[in-house]
Amino acid sequence: AKHLAIRAAMLWLRRWDKATSSRVDSYAANSDWVAGRIERYYGRPATVIPPPVDTDWFKPSEQAPDDFYLVVSALSPYKRIEVAIEAFNRSGRSLIVVVQGPESKKLARLAGPTVEMRGWVDESSLRELYQRCRGLILPAVEDAGIVPLEAMACGRPALVLDEGGAAEAVIEGETGSLIHACDPDAVIEAIDRAESVSFNTLRIRAHALEYGHDVFARRFLTFVTSALSAHDRARATMA
């Protein structure tokens, strides 16, 4: 009975959502990936405004990176952290996992000797880990993905699943590598590709600056101004 009630409620919400979507003047999305979903579900275009990254706080260190990779994530099943852990168990490379959530104990049991599980860390410690890591690993589908950009702002490459919005910020061989499937072998293959490249810290940092707070503010202001102008023109036409 509970499941039937939930299904009925979801069906009602979908119908209500679709019925009210025509009253929306303009859509904004945080990635092309999400904009595509808006187009499919509502038949409407969306302006893409990537989320902002604090590039003033997240910045490179003068020290050379260490020999560990990094996962930073809230713990939810869709994050697929177990895929990254298994990849590093197999490869014997070092991985630090910064996570917090209900699955932490389960994942800790999966971690081999080269995988270090940490709880959540403060902003200073997180920045230091970004600066020191060999690369950031994200094996899951994300709508946008701020974590890879925080790592890039620190000058470190991001290795990201090639599905979802987070992949849109990765330039293969310049700012990171794309993981071609959500499985351990694909993660290992992406790491091998990344380790064959001499990444340029300043080039990666420059790419991340395209997602800074000031850029976001300009994009958002342009979107709002354009949407309001279109709304006023439509009302004038109807008058």
Side-chain angles (χ1 to χ4, degrees):
K2 178 180 178 182
H3 293 296
L4 288 174
I6 292 173
R7 288 173 61 185
M10 292 298 296
L11 180 61
W12 181 87
L13 284 171
R14 289 193 188 100
R15 289 174 176 168
W16 173 85
D17 186 44
K18 192 146 191 176
T20 57
S21 64
S22 61
R23 299 204 296 266
V24 176
D25 292 307
S26 301
Y27 283 93
N30 57 5
S31 67
D32 289 327
W33 172 261
V34 172
R37 293 213 307 263
I38 292 172
E39 177 71 32
R40 287 194 302 274
Y41 297 150
Y42 302 125
R44 302 276 299 280
T47 300
V48 176
I49 307 174
V53 177
D54 190 349
T55 53
D56 292 330
W57 174 254
F58 293 108
K59 54 189 177 182
S61 166
E62 295 182 358
Q63 296 181 342
D66 290 340
D67 197 32
F68 67 88
Y69 287 83
L70 182 66
V71 166
V72 177
S73 177
L75 272 185
S76 298
Y78 87 90
K79 297 291 187 179
R80 303 306 304 274
I81 307 302
E82 76 281 359
V83 172
I85 290 174
E86 178 58 24
F88 282 83
N89 286 344
R90 294 183 190 179
S91 68
R93 294 180 172 100
S94 296
L95 175 69
I96 293 177
V97 182
V98 177
V99 291
Q100 187 175 42
E103 293 204 327
S104 56
K105 291 182 179 179
K106 173 185 172 182
L107 290 175
R109 290 193 295 269
L110 300 176
T114 64
V115 178
E116 179 185 346
M117 301 292 297
R118 296 192 184 181
W120 208 248
V121 298
D122 61 34
E123 288 291 294
S124 295
S125 299
L126 178 61
R127 180 174 66 176
E128 182 182 0
L129 286 169
Y130 281 140
Q131 293 167 340
R132 291 172 48 216
C133 75
R134 194 172 178 88
L136 186 282
I137 307 292
L138 178 62
V141 176
E142 294 280 1
D143 284 347
I146 294 178
V147 165
L149 285 165
E150 290 176 346
M152 290 183 206
C154 293
R156 308 311 307 142
L159 286 70
V160 174
L161 187 69
D162 64 356
E163 183 180 5
E168 296 167 19
V170 175
I171 303 172
E172 180 71 43
E174 291 188 29
T175 66
S177 291
L178 294 173
I179 302 169
H180 296 310
C182 188
D183 65 61
D185 288 337
V187 173
I188 293 170
E189 192 272 334
I191 294 171
D192 289 341
R193 266 187 288 116
E195 292 190 348
S196 70
V197 175
S198 296
F199 288 104
N200 185 299
T201 297
L202 296 181
R203 171 71 185 90
I204 297 173
R205 165 75 176 174
H207 182 64
L209 291 175
E210 298 174 14
Y211 299 83
H213 284 162
D214 56 337
V215 178
F216 172 82
R218 288 198 300 270
R219 287 171 172 162
F220 189 76
L221 180 60
T222 299
F223 167 73
V224 171
T225 302
S226 177
L228 289 174
S229 296
H231 178 74
D232 289 344
R233 288 195 300 271
R235 290 188 64 181
T237 302
M238 295 171 61

